[in-house]
Amino acid sequence: MSAIKLENVTRAFGEKQVLKGISLDISEGEIFGLLGPSGAGKTTIINILTGQLSCGGRAEIFGTDCGRIGRKVYREIGAVLDNCGLYERLTCMDNMKLFAGIHNVPFGQIGGILEKVGLTGSEKIKAGKMSKGMKQRLQLARAILHQPKLLFLDEPTSGLDPSTAAEIHTLMQELQKNGTTIFLTTHNMDEAYRMCDRIALLNEGNIAECGNPAEICRKHCSVSEFNIITSDEEKLSIPNIPESAGQIAELIRSGKIKAIHSAEPDLGTVFLKLTGKELAQ
């Protein structure tokens, strides 16, 4: 069954056409990444999927039209969005208790969730006194407290230090192992490449490319070669052809290879190729 299905989805704000016919089919259990620069329409798609915006075409979550989402479907959804939604005068624990009450989650489960996101010992800190990284962890804790089947993460690691971002990535992988579908929006190409089963590149309201990140990079590789750094820091570019096998084998036998990489482009390069624009972060 599809967790998310979009068929020719359109959306305009005044005369500006933000989405121009988006179609996606996301399976249950996927980590799916929607990539694009700020203003490309990523948050608009989340707002449509969560029933906050109407649209042309059809948008569904677990087979239910997003324009008719009721309490039953909302119970299956968690979200970490741009608009923080934390009560800054309340403590970490009181924020969690408030959300637990809404979802009928026993308060006894809160401690375990806070431990998962690294907030054990922070229960009495007011949300307004937390750092950006701690707030992001608290939002994530609140979003997964009721064990949602579908989790929306809108730029979840934007502005965070590498250590905190890595912890969030680890938690995402744990959630996926437990069956949660994750819909991730980001303009961080490295994050998308490492975390996502599939991605879609969004540009000016259209999907420019969709598929597995590594496969997309290979698809758009115009140069087939190996880039080698030798033990004396010499950089070699050797064509990926049968005739090069002897040369590479000799370098390996002599122990002269310090690093070797194939030359497929990264996602940022692919995006530039497809759209003619840099992906500003």
Side-chain angles (χ1 to χ4, degrees):
M1 180 179 179
S2 298
I4 290 173
K5 196 164 188 177
L6 301 175
E7 293 180 349
N8 196 33
V9 167
T10 60
R11 174 69 200 196
F13 294 98
E15 296 183 358
K16 183 174 181 177
Q17 193 74 25
V18 177
L19 302 177
K20 302 175 182 177
I22 302 296
S23 295
L24 292 171
D25 194 339
I26 300 170
S27 300
E28 290 190 45
E30 273 195 279
I31 296 181
F32 187 91
L34 184 63
L35 285 69
S38 298
K42 303 187 301 296
T43 302
T44 298
I45 289 176
I46 285 185
N47 288 339
I48 289 170
L49 289 170
T50 52
Q52 299 176 73
L53 282 176
S54 60
C55 68
R58 185 167 180 83
E60 295 179 350
I61 288 181
F62 300 122
T64 299
D65 189 303
C66 292
R68 298 183 180 133
I69 293 176
R71 185 174 299 177
K72 181 179 178 181
V73 175
Y74 277 125
R75 285 196 184 116
E76 306 289 352
I77 297 173
V80 177
L81 306 178
D82 266 349
N83 49 338
C84 181
L86 299 175
Y87 292 90
E88 299 212 338
R89 293 186 180 181
L90 297 183
T91 65
C92 169
M93 178 59 77
D94 286 341
N95 267 280
M96 292 293 287
K97 283 182 176 179
L98 183 63
F99 194 66
I102 292 171
H103 283 281
N104 296 316
V105 175
F107 289 172
Q109 295 183 18
I110 294 175
I113 297 296
L114 291 178
E115 183 179 2
K116 278 189 176 182
V117 301
L119 285 178
T120 299
S122 302
E123 292 86 350
K124 295 182 179 180
I125 300 176
K126 289 186 177 180
K129 299 292 184 180
M130 288 181 158
S131 67
K132 180 172 182 178
M134 292 176 73
K135 285 182 178 180
Q136 200 78 335
R137 293 183 196 193
L138 180 53
Q139 286 188 80
L140 187 54
R142 196 181 65 171
I144 66 174
L145 179 61
H146 61 300
Q147 300 179 338
K149 289 173 60 180
L150 174 60
L151 180 62
F152 290 99
L153 299 177
D154 192 9
E155 308 282 357
T157 60
S158 177
L160 300 185
D161 63 87
S163 176
T164 301
E167 290 172 358
I168 289 177
H169 290 162
T170 298
L171 182 56
M172 287 169 59
Q173 291 168 332
E174 290 177 2
L175 291 167
Q176 184 189 29
K177 287 178 182 177
N178 291 326
T180 301
T181 305
I182 297 175
F183 186 92
L184 169 72
T185 70
T186 182
H187 52 229
N188 185 326
M189 293 296 192
D190 180 63
E191 176 176 68
Y193 189 93
R194 290 185 290 109
M195 295 300 303
C196 297
D197 300 303
R198 289 191 303 140
I199 62 167
L201 302 181
L202 184 64
N203 179 52
E204 296 183 352
N206 294 298
I207 300 293
E209 185 63 274
C210 184
N212 175 268
E215 291 175 1
I216 288 174
C217 289
R218 289 194 293 269
K219 175 182 176 181
H220 293 278
C221 182
S222 58
V223 178
S224 184
E225 63 184 17
F226 295 103
N227 294 322
I228 295 174
I229 300 176
T230 67
S231 54
D232 55 3
E233 299 299 329
E234 182 182 3
K235 295 181 180 179
L236 304 175
S237 294
I238 300 177
N240 184 7
I241 56 177
E243 290 78 8
S244 299
Q247 182 183 0
I248 294 174
E250 179 56 35
L251 287 168
I252 294 173
R253 276 194 295 269
S254 62
K256 290 184 177 180
I257 292 182
K258 185 176 182 180
I260 181 169
H261 303 280
S262 55
E264 66 265 12
D266 59 21
L267 285 174
T269 303
V270 171
F271 189 86
L272 177 61
K273 174 184 175 182
L274 293 173
T275 67
K277 296 184 293 188
E278 297 276 358
L279 189 66
Q281 295 193 30

